[in-house]
Amino acid sequence: MKKVLTVLLAAVMSVSLFAGCSNSGEGGQGSASTPGSDSPVANQEQGKQLKIGIVQYMDHPSLNTIRESLVAELATLGYKDKENVAIDYKNSQGDQVNLNSICQKFVSDKKDLIIAIATPAAQAAASATSDIPVLFSAVTDPVAAKLVADLNKPGRNVSGTSDAIPVDKIFDLALKLTPNVKKIGLLYSTSEANSLSVISDAKKVAKEKNLEVVETGITNVGELQQAAQSLISKTDAIFTPIDNQVASAMSTLSKVGIDAKKPVYVGADSMVSDGGFATVGINYTELGKKTAEMAKEIFEGKTVADMPVQTLSDFGTVINETTASKIGVTVPEDILSGAQIVK
């Protein structure tokens, strides 16, 4: 009888010990199988510092403005770097291999959120993970870039903010400022999905406005000057979208236009600040703020797949006064009064 009791007691102790192990903290089987245990919300509830990875495709003013505004707005919303969040910022400097490595490292570090600035960065982040929430910013056409299936219901772990521009309004402005333009050159990078989408729209708009189009695509920044000089010699003006490669060498493109005394219309306000003539575009500070607001919603438990892509609807006219003077264009007072003027 004693032997039977001893065996039963040992069995009970074994079961208790096993149950205790399975319900133990980090690393135990119970914690690994708990639904949502690695989510941003769960990490906040456990008092953990949220880990945010920010990957930026390259340096240029528009993308830098988004990042700076985003980080500042996160702090305003209560998510301060080195306090309750840890922000890990990386810049791939336009290198695709580097971009992929950065995103893979973010995944292995188990970031709570990856924020990708510009389309190539967003595509790399989306390819690197199907589990970690990915927020993009400065993606002109998320559907064409194959980041979301539908702008209103992304359907996966990726959503964000779009910097889609009103191409028709830019062309309307061009015809008001320089009505002698009959033939327009389209300059863009062939490797950027955003640019290809905008150029497609630009060709449709040009046709509607009876403008002849000459297009030139470049594969890298080194080709820009020669391509721009050739294009400007054949046309009355140049239009370039929010193209990362072109934007990074905007000073070169603006000089080509100024030397030929012909306007270069662009897709972003920063490109006007860098010497482009004019645009109708969005405010990149506001785009950064909007991205931060979406990040807060994710931290509070919203599912990314159900978060519509946000697109700004407030557009403003931006004109470079110095460039206008150098190419010999007088801006009409009715346009000048309502525009943002840079020098």
Side-chain angles (χ1 to χ4, degrees):
M1 185 67 174
K2 286 182 179 180
K3 185 179 290 187
V4 172
L5 287 173
T6 302
V7 170
L8 285 172
L9 182 59
V12 169
M13 290 178 66
S14 255
V15 169
S16 298
L17 181 60
F18 179 78
C21 288
S22 67
N23 290 312
S24 63
E26 192 172 350
Q29 289 179 343
S31 66
S33 60
T34 301
S37 62
D38 292 326
S39 72
V41 173
N43 284 340
Q44 286 185 90
E45 290 173 348
Q46 294 166 21
K48 293 180 180 179
Q49 193 178 51
L50 290 171
K51 297 185 292 183
I52 304 172
I54 299 179
V55 56
Q56 184 172 317
Y57 180 52
M58 61 165 51
D59 271 315
H60 69 67
S62 293
L63 303 187
N64 294 342
T65 296
I66 291 169
R67 185 190 74 250
E68 291 161 4
S69 172
L70 161 69
V71 173
E73 185 66 11
L74 280 173
T76 299
L77 294 172
Y79 298 94
K80 298 181 180 180
D81 189 26
K82 298 182 176 62
E83 291 187 15
N84 56 340
V85 298
I87 296 176
D88 185 0
Y89 165 63
K90 303 293 183 187
N91 190 315
S92 75
Q93 302 299 340
D95 186 304
Q96 188 63 45
V97 174
N98 192 22
L99 193 57
N100 293 336
S101 297
I102 290 168
C103 293
Q104 288 162 6
K105 183 66 164 58
F106 282 172
V107 173
S108 67
D109 288 343
K110 297 183 178 180
K111 301 296 188 189
D112 292 292
L113 174 66
I114 297 174
I115 300 176
I117 303 175
T119 302
Q123 290 171 320
S127 295
T129 180
S130 58
D131 299 316
I132 298 172
V134 173
L135 269 187
F136 57 73
S137 193
V139 174
T140 306
D141 192 338
V143 175
K146 298 182 179 179
L147 292 168
V148 300
D150 185 288
L151 294 179
N152 293 316
K153 195 171 181 62
R156 51 181 298 201
N157 65 315
V158 182
S159 188
T161 58
S162 169
D163 60 350
I165 58 173
V167 179
D168 58 335
K169 294 184 187 302
I170 296 175
F171 276 49
D172 284 341
L173 177 66
L175 292 174
K176 287 178 182 177
L177 292 174
T178 49
N180 60 320
V181 170
K182 305 299 179 188
K183 184 184 293 187
I184 192 159
L186 307 180
L187 181 64
Y188 60 97
S189 169
T190 58
S191 62
E192 295 192 31
N194 276 348
S195 296
L196 298 177
S197 175
V198 175
I199 291 299
S200 176
D201 288 343
K203 287 191 281 190
K204 293 174 186 175
V205 172
K207 185 176 180 180
E208 291 169 1
K209 299 183 182 303
N210 297 314
L211 292 172
E212 187 179 344
V213 166
V214 180
E215 61 178 297
T216 298
I218 61 171
T219 59
N220 58 70
V221 175
E223 298 174 358
L224 186 139
Q225 183 170 3
Q226 185 175 349
Q229 288 172 336
S230 174
L231 192 59
I232 204 79
S233 69
K234 302 171 186 175
T235 59
D236 304 314
I238 284 178
F239 166 74
T240 187
I242 307 170
D243 187 294
N244 295 296
Q245 296 287 344
V246 176
S248 68
M250 193 60 215
S251 58
T252 299
L253 176 56
S254 63
K255 186 177 185 305
V256 169
I258 288 169
D259 287 347
K261 295 193 178 300
K262 294 179 181 180
V264 175
Y265 292 97
V266 295
D269 55 0
S270 66
M271 298 168 82
V272 176
S273 297
D274 286 341
F277 177 38
T279 190
V280 177
I282 65 169
N283 184 309
Y284 281 86
T285 297
E286 290 303 314
L287 197 69
K289 288 182 179 180
K290 183 67 69 175
T291 309
E293 290 168 6
M294 293 185 74
K296 180 177 184 287
E297 290 181 3
I298 292 170
F299 295 150
E300 292 177 347
K302 196 157 186 178
T303 302
V304 184
D306 297 328
M307 296 176 69
V309 173
Q310 299 295 306
T311 303
L312 300 186
S313 56
D314 292 333
F315 303 112
T317 298
V318 187
I319 298 171
N320 190 310
E321 188 176 60
T322 302
T323 300
S325 176
K326 288 182 177 179
I327 65 175
V329 174
T330 300
V331 180
E333 187 57 40
D334 63 321
I335 296 176
L336 197 62
S337 61
Q340 176 188 344
I341 305 300
V342 300
K343 297 182 180 181

